[in-house]
Amino acid sequence: MEKTLPYWVEENPLLIGILNFILDRRDSQLERGKEARISFRLDLRAGSKRWLEVLEPLRDPDQDEQELWNELQHFASEYQCFAVKPNPKRRPGVAEWQGAQLIFRDASEEQLRLWLNRPSPSLLKSAWTSLLEPYADRFENPAAFPVEGLELQAGFDSAEEMVSCWAAISRELIFAEQITWRQLAARCFKGDSKYLDLPSRQSLVRNLFPELSRKIRERQLLLHAYLPEQFAQVIFIENQDTFISLAELQPSSTALVYSEGYQGGAERIRNYGITRFSTINSATTVSRQQFSQWWYGDNLGSLPVFFWGDLDYEGLRIAAALKKSFPGLQCWQPGYDLLLNSLHAGKAHSPDLAEKLGQKPIEMIGCQYADNYLIPAISANNCFVDQEAVKIEALLETLP
């Protein structure tokens, strides 16, 4: 039995895609408990989206489709993993591969799994069940784990160590009156307080411990604000230096909120008991009450609300996230106009200069000014400007 896949097969994107797709289909059959013959046609016009993705190399102008086809035929003849039946209705001038049928040979499944290092789901399930058995009584609902179990993650010495960490959650929840996600994660997952930050992991905790997880306290959001005695608008500021500089101007009727990046875009930002504010100025009790009533109330439309951040894609994503909680939010034009002036004057940085190559373009955020002017300007110039570039004094007259 061949222990390794021939190197030229791994270099053939069509062939390696087909072999993995065959096992995907067989795994799906095994999970449903119903096996059937596996066959496909090489037809770029029909099939599932996944199958058409497998056939994509045949469209790729950088690939030699005839070479891909010749290697596929040679593999079928040499290793007998599947049979190839030519298309009997192929018209003259049409490539030989078009419409050809591939029929998987069931007897080659073991060899194929060995090559691709893909054990059958039944074996995976058996191994996971054995691993979980000593800890099963530590979970309120162990069936909440995926059927195939959890994939071993970097940082754990073994799958057993990872399971024992998940089981440790039970002890912490039993003896705690209340506990935060960060505290729970640090105590159970090798001191890593952020391990349970992912929504998928928090969901798994809730499903594994439907009763005990009620003791987990949602992490509070700490926001800083500048509150005048009376305010006629609210502006979210992305960066700390700009927020402090604007607050030091002491605008008489504008409230400022330091959004601290994506934290300000959390969907739960307006939930009672989640957000806590500290004020950078000596805000009066009246202004605090007025702001709190606006923040948690149903009359958000009573005040204009704006966002001002960096002129880059990530800054605009923060604005888009904030709009989920503040539907009327718009990008603050006086501030962004100054950033646009810098951009058009060539006083902007390229994505690689500021390590922003990972920022993905955004098409629109639902703000007419941003969608029609800011995003097109960034896209056309492929450059960014951070809001700290603005001289704050130039904004004084724009703050009512």
mmCIF file with all atom_site columns, all heavy atoms in Angstrom, residues 126-148:
data_model
loop_
_atom_site.group_PDB
_atom_site.id
_atom_site.type_symbol
_atom_site.label_atom_id
_atom_site.label_alt_id
_atom_site.label_comp_id
_atom_site.label_asym_id
_atom_site.label_entity_id
_atom_site.label_seq_id
_atom_site.pdbx_PDB_ins_code
_atom_site.Cartn_x
_atom_site.Cartn_y
_atom_site.Cartn_z
_atom_site.occupancy
_atom_site.B_iso_or_equiv
_atom_site.pdbx_formal_charge
_atom_site.auth_seq_id
_atom_site.auth_comp_id
_atom_site.auth_asym_id
_atom_site.auth_atom_id
_atom_site.pdbx_PDB_model_num
ATOM 1   N N   . SER A 1 126 ? -15.296 7.895  17.454 1.00 0.00 ? 126 SER A N   1
ATOM 2   C CA  . SER A 1 126 ? -14.950 6.897  18.461 1.00 0.00 ? 126 SER A CA  1
ATOM 3   C C   . SER A 1 126 ? -13.825 7.410  19.356 1.00 0.00 ? 126 SER A C   1
ATOM 4   O O   . SER A 1 126 ? -13.885 7.275  20.571 1.00 0.00 ? 126 SER A O   1
ATOM 5   C CB  . SER A 1 126 ? -14.532 5.594  17.771 1.00 0.00 ? 126 SER A CB  1
ATOM 6   O OG  . SER A 1 126 ? -14.091 4.659  18.715 1.00 0.00 ? 126 SER A OG  1
ATOM 7   N N   . ALA A 1 127 ? -12.800 8.014  18.750 1.00 0.00 ? 127 ALA A N   1
ATOM 8   C CA  . ALA A 1 127 ? -11.675 8.529  19.528 1.00 0.00 ? 127 ALA A CA  1
ATOM 9   C C   . ALA A 1 127 ? -12.125 9.658  20.457 1.00 0.00 ? 127 ALA A C   1
ATOM 10  O O   . ALA A 1 127 ? -11.715 9.726  21.611 1.00 0.00 ? 127 ALA A O   1
ATOM 11  C CB  . ALA A 1 127 ? -10.580 9.015  18.578 1.00 0.00 ? 127 ALA A CB  1
ATOM 12  N N   . TRP A 1 128 ? -12.989 10.534 19.964 1.00 0.00 ? 128 TRP A N   1
ATOM 13  C CA  . TRP A 1 128 ? -13.469 11.645 20.779 1.00 0.00 ? 128 TRP A CA  1
ATOM 14  C C   . TRP A 1 128 ? -14.332 11.142 21.927 1.00 0.00 ? 128 TRP A C   1
ATOM 15  O O   . TRP A 1 128 ? -14.215 11.619 23.061 1.00 0.00 ? 128 TRP A O   1
ATOM 16  C CB  . TRP A 1 128 ? -14.248 12.630 19.919 1.00 0.00 ? 128 TRP A CB  1
ATOM 17  C CG  . TRP A 1 128 ? -14.879 13.736 20.725 1.00 0.00 ? 128 TRP A CG  1
ATOM 18  C CD1 . TRP A 1 128 ? -16.182 13.854 21.067 1.00 0.00 ? 128 TRP A CD1 1
ATOM 19  C CD2 . TRP A 1 128 ? -14.213 14.848 21.323 1.00 0.00 ? 128 TRP A CD2 1
ATOM 20  N NE1 . TRP A 1 128 ? -16.382 14.985 21.833 1.00 0.00 ? 128 TRP A NE1 1
ATOM 21  C CE2 . TRP A 1 128 ? -15.195 15.612 22.006 1.00 0.00 ? 128 TRP A CE2 1
ATOM 22  C CE3 . TRP A 1 128 ? -12.893 15.281 21.336 1.00 0.00 ? 128 TRP A CE3 1
ATOM 23  C CZ2 . TRP A 1 128 ? -14.877 16.782 22.685 1.00 0.00 ? 128 TRP A CZ2 1
ATOM 24  C CZ3 . TRP A 1 128 ? -12.587 16.438 22.028 1.00 0.00 ? 128 TRP A CZ3 1
ATOM 25  C CH2 . TRP A 1 128 ? -13.566 17.177 22.690 1.00 0.00 ? 128 TRP A CH2 1
ATOM 26  N N   . THR A 1 129 ? -15.188 10.163 21.659 1.00 0.00 ? 129 THR A N   1
ATOM 27  C CA  . THR A 1 129 ? -16.047 9.606  22.701 1.00 0.00 ? 129 THR A CA  1
ATOM 28  C C   . THR A 1 129 ? -15.224 9.000  23.823 1.00 0.00 ? 129 THR A C   1
ATOM 29  O O   . THR A 1 129 ? -15.507 9.190  25.005 1.00 0.00 ? 129 THR A O   1
ATOM 30  C CB  . THR A 1 129 ? -16.998 8.542  22.110 1.00 0.00 ? 129 THR A CB  1
ATOM 31  O OG1 . THR A 1 129 ? -17.782 9.140  21.081 1.00 0.00 ? 129 THR A OG1 1
ATOM 32  C CG2 . THR A 1 129 ? -17.904 7.977  23.172 1.00 0.00 ? 129 THR A CG2 1
ATOM 33  N N   . SER A 1 130 ? -14.177 8.285  23.453 1.00 0.00 ? 130 SER A N   1
ATOM 34  C CA  . SER A 1 130 ? -13.293 7.671  24.454 1.00 0.00 ? 130 SER A CA  1
ATOM 35  C C   . SER A 1 130 ? -12.574 8.736  25.273 1.00 0.00 ? 130 SER A C   1
ATOM 36  O O   . SER A 1 130 ? -12.391 8.589  26.483 1.00 0.00 ? 130 SER A O   1
ATOM 37  C CB  . SER A 1 130 ? -12.267 6.759  23.761 1.00 0.00 ? 130 SER A CB  1
ATOM 38  O OG  . SER A 1 130 ? -12.910 5.729  23.053 1.00 0.00 ? 130 SER A OG  1
ATOM 39  N N   . LEU A 1 131 ? -12.180 9.810  24.590 1.00 0.00 ? 131 LEU A N   1
ATOM 40  C CA  . LEU A 1 131 ? -11.465 10.884 25.263 1.00 0.00 ? 131 LEU A CA  1
ATOM 41  C C   . LEU A 1 131 ? -12.370 11.618 26.243 1.00 0.00 ? 131 LEU A C   1
ATOM 42  O O   . LEU A 1 131 ? -11.953 12.013 27.340 1.00 0.00 ? 131 LEU A O   1
ATOM 43  C CB  . LEU A 1 131 ? -10.929 11.860 24.213 1.00 0.00 ? 131 LEU A CB  1
ATOM 44  C CG  . LEU A 1 131 ? -9.997  12.978 24.688 1.00 0.00 ? 131 LEU A CG  1
ATOM 45  C CD1 . LEU A 1 131 ? -8.711  12.404 25.247 1.00 0.00 ? 131 LEU A CD1 1
ATOM 46  C CD2 . LEU A 1 131 ? -9.687  13.918 23.528 1.00 0.00 ? 131 LEU A CD2 1
ATOM 47  N N   . LEU A 1 132 ? -13.631 11.794 25.878 1.00 0.00 ? 132 LEU A N   1
ATOM 48  C CA  . LEU A 1 132 ? -14.567 12.577 26.681 1.00 0.00 ? 132 LEU A CA  1
ATOM 49  C C   . LEU A 1 132 ? -15.135 11.778 27.857 1.00 0.00 ? 132 LEU A C   1
ATOM 50  O O   . LEU A 1 132 ? -15.550 12.367 28.864 1.00 0.00 ? 132 LEU A O   1
ATOM 51  C CB  . LEU A 1 132 ? -15.710 13.055 25.779 1.00 0.00 ? 132 LEU A CB  1
ATOM 52  C CG  . LEU A 1 132 ? -16.679 14.081 26.358 1.00 0.00 ? 132 LEU A CG  1
ATOM 53  C CD1 . LEU A 1 132 ? -15.956 15.358 26.742 1.00 0.00 ? 132 LEU A CD1 1
ATOM 54  C CD2 . LEU A 1 132 ? -17.786 14.375 25.361 1.00 0.00 ? 132 LEU A CD2 1
ATOM 55  N N   . GLU A 1 133 ? -15.153 10.474 27.742 1.00 0.00 ? 133 GLU A N   1
ATOM 56  C CA  . GLU A 1 133 ? -15.847 9.631  28.731 1.00 0.00 ? 133 GLU A CA  1
ATOM 57  C C   . GLU A 1 133 ? -15.435 9.900  30.178 1.00 0.00 ? 133 GLU A C   1
ATOM 58  O O   . GLU A 1 133 ? -16.301 10.030 31.056 1.00 0.00 ? 133 GLU A O   1
ATOM 59  C CB  . GLU A 1 133 ? -15.614 8.156  28.372 1.00 0.00 ? 133 GLU A CB  1
ATOM 60  C CG  . GLU A 1 133 ? -16.429 7.212  29.228 1.00 0.00 ? 133 GLU A CG  1
ATOM 61  C CD  . GLU A 1 133 ? -16.303 5.775  28.758 1.00 0.00 ? 133 GLU A CD  1
ATOM 62  O OE1 . GLU A 1 133 ? -15.766 5.548  27.657 1.00 0.00 ? 133 GLU A OE1 1
ATOM 63  O OE2 . GLU A 1 133 ? -16.735 4.872  29.504 1.00 0.00 ? 133 GLU A OE2 1
ATOM 64  N N   . PRO A 1 134 ? -14.137 10.021 30.517 1.00 0.00 ? 134 PRO A N   1
ATOM 65  C CA  . PRO A 1 134 ? -13.778 10.257 31.935 1.00 0.00 ? 134 PRO A CA  1
ATOM 66  C C   . PRO A 1 134 ? -14.281 11.592 32.484 1.00 0.00 ? 134 PRO A C   1
ATOM 67  O O   . PRO A 1 134 ? -14.344 11.772 33.697 1.00 0.00 ? 134 PRO A O   1
ATOM 68  C CB  . PRO A 1 134 ? -12.245 10.216 31.909 1.00 0.00 ? 134 PRO A CB  1
ATOM 69  C CG  . PRO A 1 134 ? -11.880 9.528  30.645 1.00 0.00 ? 134 PRO A CG  1
ATOM 70  C CD  . PRO A 1 134 ? -12.950 9.889  29.678 1.00 0.00 ? 134 PRO A CD  1
ATOM 71  N N   . TYR A 1 135 ? -14.611 12.532 31.598 1.00 0.00 ? 135 TYR A N   1
ATOM 72  C CA  . TYR A 1 135 ? -15.016 13.864 32.032 1.00 0.00 ? 135 TYR A CA  1
ATOM 73  C C   . TYR A 1 135 ? -16.508 14.128 31.830 1.00 0.00 ? 135 TYR A C   1
ATOM 74  O O   . TYR A 1 135 ? -16.988 15.232 32.125 1.00 0.00 ? 135 TYR A O   1
ATOM 75  C CB  . TYR A 1 135 ? -14.235 14.930 31.253 1.00 0.00 ? 135 TYR A CB  1
ATOM 76  C CG  . TYR A 1 135 ? -12.740 14.841 31.381 1.00 0.00 ? 135 TYR A CG  1
ATOM 77  C CD1 . TYR A 1 135 ? -11.985 14.149 30.443 1.00 0.00 ? 135 TYR A CD1 1
ATOM 78  C CD2 . TYR A 1 135 ? -12.070 15.450 32.439 1.00 0.00 ? 135 TYR A CD2 1
ATOM 79  C CE1 . TYR A 1 135 ? -10.594 14.074 30.546 1.00 0.00 ? 135 TYR A CE1 1
ATOM 80  C CE2 . TYR A 1 135 ? -10.688 15.389 32.552 1.00 0.00 ? 135 TYR A CE2 1
ATOM 81  C CZ  . TYR A 1 135 ? -9.960  14.694 31.604 1.00 0.00 ? 135 TYR A CZ  1
ATOM 82  O OH  . TYR A 1 135 ? -8.592  14.623 31.712 1.00 0.00 ? 135 TYR A OH  1
ATOM 83  N N   . ALA A 1 136 ? -17.234 13.149 31.306 1.00 0.00 ? 136 ALA A N   1
ATOM 84  C CA  . ALA A 1 136 ? -18.624 13.391 30.891 1.00 0.00 ? 136 ALA A CA  1
ATOM 85  C C   . ALA A 1 136 ? -19.485 13.956 32.019 1.00 0.00 ? 136 ALA A C   1
ATOM 86  O O   . ALA A 1 136 ? -20.335 14.828 31.775 1.00 0.00 ? 136 ALA A O   1
ATOM 87  C CB  . ALA A 1 136 ? -19.231 12.100 30.357 1.00 0.00 ? 136 ALA A CB  1
ATOM 88  N N   . ASP A 1 137 ? -19.274 13.480 33.262 1.00 0.00 ? 137 ASP A N   1
ATOM 89  C CA  . ASP A 1 137 ? -20.127 13.944 34.357 1.00 0.00 ? 137 ASP A CA  1
ATOM 90  C C   . ASP A 1 137 ? -19.776 15.356 34.820 1.00 0.00 ? 137 ASP A C   1
ATOM 91  O O   . ASP A 1 137 ? -20.445 15.919 35.684 1.00 0.00 ? 137 ASP A O   1
ATOM 92  C CB  . ASP A 1 137 ? -20.040 12.974 35.543 1.00 0.00 ? 137 ASP A CB  1
ATOM 93  C CG  . ASP A 1 137 ? -18.631 12.843 36.092 1.00 0.00 ? 137 ASP A CG  1
ATOM 94  O OD1 . ASP A 1 137 ? -17.685 13.365 35.455 1.00 0.00 ? 137 ASP A OD1 1
ATOM 95  O OD2 . ASP A 1 137 ? -18.473 12.220 37.154 1.00 0.00 ? 137 ASP A OD2 1
ATOM 96  N N   . ARG A 1 138 ? -18.748 15.955 34.216 1.00 0.00 ? 138 ARG A N   1
ATOM 97  C CA  . ARG A 1 138 ? -18.373 17.325 34.575 1.00 0.00 ? 138 ARG A CA  1
ATOM 98  C C   . ARG A 1 138 ? -19.176 18.353 33.781 1.00 0.00 ? 138 ARG A C   1
ATOM 99  O O   . ARG A 1 138 ? -19.099 19.550 34.071 1.00 0.00 ? 138 ARG A O   1
ATOM 100 C CB  . ARG A 1 138 ? -16.873 17.531 34.318 1.00 0.00 ? 138 ARG A CB  1
ATOM 101 C CG  . ARG A 1 138 ? -15.969 16.524 35.035 1.00 0.00 ? 138 ARG A CG  1
ATOM 102 C CD  . ARG A 1 138 ? -15.710 16.941 36.460 1.00 0.00 ? 138 ARG A CD  1
ATOM 103 N NE  . ARG A 1 138 ? -14.875 18.129 36.513 1.00 0.00 ? 138 ARG A NE  1
ATOM 104 C CZ  . ARG A 1 138 ? -13.546 18.118 36.440 1.00 0.00 ? 138 ARG A CZ  1
ATOM 105 N NH1 . ARG A 1 138 ? -12.899 16.966 36.294 1.00 0.00 ? 138 ARG A NH1 1
ATOM 106 N NH2 . ARG A 1 138 ? -12.870 19.245 36.531 1.00 0.00 ? 138 ARG A NH2 1
ATOM 107 N N   . PHE A 1 139 ? -19.886 17.881 32.766 1.00 0.00 ? 139 PHE A N   1
ATOM 108 C CA  . PHE A 1 139 ? -20.654 18.787 31.914 1.00 0.00 ? 139 PHE A CA  1
ATOM 109 C C   . PHE A 1 139 ? -22.145 18.565 32.121 1.00 0.00 ? 139 PHE A C   1
ATOM 110 O O   . PHE A 1 139 ? -22.601 17.432 32.257 1.00 0.00 ? 139 PHE A O   1
ATOM 111 C CB  . PHE A 1 139 ? -20.313 18.560 30.445 1.00 0.00 ? 139 PHE A CB  1
ATOM 112 C CG  . PHE A 1 139 ? -18.856 18.714 30.104 1.00 0.00 ? 139 PHE A CG  1
ATOM 113 C CD1 . PHE A 1 139 ? -18.029 17.602 30.015 1.00 0.00 ? 139 PHE A CD1 1
ATOM 114 C CD2 . PHE A 1 139 ? -18.313 19.971 29.906 1.00 0.00 ? 139 PHE A CD2 1
ATOM 115 C CE1 . PHE A 1 139 ? -16.686 17.741 29.716 1.00 0.00 ? 139 PHE A CE1 1
ATOM 116 C CE2 . PHE A 1 139 ? -16.968 20.130 29.604 1.00 0.00 ? 139 PHE A CE2 1
ATOM 117 C CZ  . PHE A 1 139 ? -16.145 19.007 29.515 1.00 0.00 ? 139 PHE A CZ  1
ATOM 118 N N   . GLU A 1 140 ? -22.901 19.654 32.151 1.00 0.00 ? 140 GLU A N   1
ATOM 119 C CA  . GLU A 1 140 ? -24.355 19.523 32.257 1.00 0.00 ? 140 GLU A CA  1
ATOM 120 C C   . GLU A 1 140 ? -24.934 18.919 30.981 1.00 0.00 ? 140 GLU A C   1
ATOM 121 O O   . GLU A 1 140 ? -25.914 18.172 31.031 1.00 0.00 ? 140 GLU A O   1
ATOM 122 C CB  . GLU A 1 140 ? -24.991 20.900 32.505 1.00 0.00 ? 140 GLU A CB  1
ATOM 123 C CG  . GLU A 1 140 ? -24.651 21.485 33.860 1.00 0.00 ? 140 GLU A CG  1
ATOM 124 C CD  . GLU A 1 140 ? -25.267 22.859 34.060 1.00 0.00 ? 140 GLU A CD  1
ATOM 125 O OE1 . GLU A 1 140 ? -25.717 23.483 33.074 1.00 0.00 ? 140 GLU A OE1 1
ATOM 126 O OE2 . GLU A 1 140 ? -25.302 23.314 35.208 1.00 0.00 ? 140 GLU A OE2 1
ATOM 127 N N   . ASN A 1 141 ? -24.327 19.236 29.857 1.00 0.00 ? 141 ASN A N   1
ATOM 128 C CA  . ASN A 1 141 ? -24.829 18.744 28.575 1.00 0.00 ? 141 ASN A CA  1
ATOM 129 C C   . ASN A 1 141 ? -23.655 18.402 27.662 1.00 0.00 ? 141 ASN A C   1
ATOM 130 O O   . ASN A 1 141 ? -23.339 19.144 26.724 1.00 0.00 ? 141 ASN A O   1
ATOM 131 C CB  . ASN A 1 141 ? -25.728 19.807 27.922 1.00 0.00 ? 141 ASN A CB  1
ATOM 132 C CG  . ASN A 1 141 ? -26.253 19.358 26.568 1.00 0.00 ? 141 ASN A CG  1
ATOM 133 O OD1 . ASN A 1 141 ? -26.452 18.160 26.333 1.00 0.00 ? 141 ASN A OD1 1
ATOM 134 N ND2 . ASN A 1 141 ? -26.478 20.310 25.671 1.00 0.00 ? 141 ASN A ND2 1
ATOM 135 N N   . PRO A 1 142 ? -22.982 17.263 27.875 1.00 0.00 ? 142 PRO A N   1
ATOM 136 C CA  . PRO A 1 142 ? -21.806 16.926 27.057 1.00 0.00 ? 142 PRO A CA  1
ATOM 137 C C   . PRO A 1 142 ? -22.135 16.754 25.584 1.00 0.00 ? 142 PRO A C   1
ATOM 138 O O   . PRO A 1 142 ? -21.256 16.868 24.732 1.00 0.00 ? 142 PRO A O   1
ATOM 139 C CB  . PRO A 1 142 ? -21.311 15.611 27.674 1.00 0.00 ? 142 PRO A CB  1
ATOM 140 C CG  . PRO A 1 142 ? -22.483 15.062 28.428 1.00 0.00 ? 142 PRO A CG  1
ATOM 141 C CD  . PRO A 1 142 ? -23.254 16.245 28.899 1.00 0.00 ? 142 PRO A CD  1
ATOM 142 N N   . ALA A 1 143 ? -23.404 16.506 25.263 1.00 0.00 ? 143 ALA A N   1
ATOM 143 C CA  . ALA A 1 143 ? -23.803 16.346 23.863 1.00 0.00 ? 143 ALA A CA  1
ATOM 144 C C   . ALA A 1 143 ? -23.660 17.645 23.078 1.00 0.00 ? 143 ALA A C   1
ATOM 145 O O   . ALA A 1 143 ? -23.775 17.648 21.846 1.00 0.00 ? 143 ALA A O   1
ATOM 146 C CB  . ALA A 1 143 ? -25.244 15.846 23.786 1.00 0.00 ? 143 ALA A CB  1
ATOM 147 N N   . ALA A 1 144 ? -23.396 18.760 23.768 1.00 0.00 ? 144 ALA A N   1
ATOM 148 C CA  . ALA A 1 144 ? -23.239 20.042 23.077 1.00 0.00 ? 144 ALA A CA  1
ATOM 149 C C   . ALA A 1 144 ? -21.941 20.109 22.287 1.00 0.00 ? 144 ALA A C   1
ATOM 150 O O   . ALA A 1 144 ? -21.803 20.940 21.380 1.00 0.00 ? 144 ALA A O   1
ATOM 151 C CB  . ALA A 1 144 ? -23.288 21.182 24.091 1.00 0.00 ? 144 ALA A CB  1
ATOM 152 N N   . PHE A 1 145 ? -20.979 19.241 22.617 1.00 0.00 ? 145 PHE A N   1
ATOM 153 C CA  . PHE A 1 145 ? -19.756 19.194 21.823 1.00 0.00 ? 145 PHE A CA  1
ATOM 154 C C   . PHE A 1 145 ? -20.081 18.753 20.402 1.00 0.00 ? 145 PHE A C   1
ATOM 155 O O   . PHE A 1 145 ? -21.010 17.967 20.193 1.00 0.00 ? 145 PHE A O   1
ATOM 156 C CB  . PHE A 1 145 ? -18.750 18.215 22.429 1.00 0.00 ? 145 PHE A CB  1
ATOM 157 C CG  . PHE A 1 145 ? -17.975 18.752 23.596 1.00 0.00 ? 145 PHE A CG  1
ATOM 158 C CD1 . PHE A 1 145 ? -18.116 18.195 24.853 1.00 0.00 ? 145 PHE A CD1 1
ATOM 159 C CD2 . PHE A 1 145 ? -17.083 19.812 23.436 1.00 0.00 ? 145 PHE A CD2 1
ATOM 160 C CE1 . PHE A 1 145 ? -17.403 18.680 25.936 1.00 0.00 ? 145 PHE A CE1 1
ATOM 161 C CE2 . PHE A 1 145 ? -16.369 20.300 24.514 1.00 0.00 ? 145 PHE A CE2 1
ATOM 162 C CZ  . PHE A 1 145 ? -16.524 19.735 25.769 1.00 0.00 ? 145 PHE A CZ  1
ATOM 163 N N   . PRO A 1 146 ? -19.346 19.234 19.401 1.00 0.00 ? 146 PRO A N   1
ATOM 164 C CA  . PRO A 1 146 ? -19.554 18.748 18.037 1.00 0.00 ? 146 PRO A CA  1
ATOM 165 C C   . PRO A 1 146 ? -19.394 17.236 17.976 1.00 0.00 ? 146 PRO A C   1
ATOM 166 O O   . PRO A 1 146 ? -18.612 16.653 18.744 1.00 0.00 ? 146 PRO A O   1
ATOM 167 C CB  . PRO A 1 146 ? -18.449 19.452 17.230 1.00 0.00 ? 146 PRO A CB  1
ATOM 168 C CG  . PRO A 1 146 ? -18.081 20.644 18.046 1.00 0.00 ? 146 PRO A CG  1
ATOM 169 C CD  . PRO A 1 146 ? -18.285 20.255 19.482 1.00 0.00 ? 146 PRO A CD  1
ATOM 170 N N   . VAL A 1 147 ? -20.118 16.596 17.072 1.00 0.00 ? 147 VAL A N   1
ATOM 171 C CA  . VAL A 1 147 ? -20.085 15.132 16.970 1.00 0.00 ? 147 VAL A CA  1
ATOM 172 C C   . VAL A 1 147 ? -18.671 14.634 16.748 1.00 0.00 ? 147 VAL A C   1
ATOM 173 O O   . VAL A 1 147 ? -18.243 13.630 17.336 1.00 0.00 ? 147 VAL A O   1
ATOM 174 C CB  . VAL A 1 147 ? -21.005 14.656 15.819 1.00 0.00 ? 147 VAL A CB  1
ATOM 175 C CG1 . VAL A 1 147 ? -20.865 13.154 15.627 1.00 0.00 ? 147 VAL A CG1 1
ATOM 176 C CG2 . VAL A 1 147 ? -22.449 15.026 16.098 1.00 0.00 ? 147 VAL A CG2 1
ATOM 177 N N   . GLU A 1 148 ? -17.920 15.348 15.913 1.00 0.00 ? 148 GLU A N   1
ATOM 178 C CA  . GLU A 1 148 ? -16.557 14.904 15.613 1.00 0.00 ? 148 GLU A CA  1
ATOM 179 C C   . GLU A 1 148 ? -15.554 15.363 16.666 1.00 0.00 ? 148 GLU A C   1
ATOM 180 O O   . GLU A 1 148 ? -14.365 15.068 16.571 1.00 0.00 ? 148 GLU A O   1
ATOM 181 C CB  . GLU A 1 148 ? -16.129 15.419 14.240 1.00 0.00 ? 148 GLU A CB  1
ATOM 182 C CG  . GLU A 1 148 ? -15.939 16.918 14.145 1.00 0.00 ? 148 GLU A CG  1
ATOM 183 C CD  . GLU A 1 148 ? -17.229 17.684 13.940 1.00 0.00 ? 148 GLU A CD  1
ATOM 184 O OE1 . GLU A 1 148 ? -18.328 17.085 14.055 1.00 0.00 ? 148 GLU A OE1 1
ATOM 185 O OE2 . GLU A 1 148 ? -17.148 18.904 13.670 1.00 0.00 ? 148 GLU A OE2 1
#
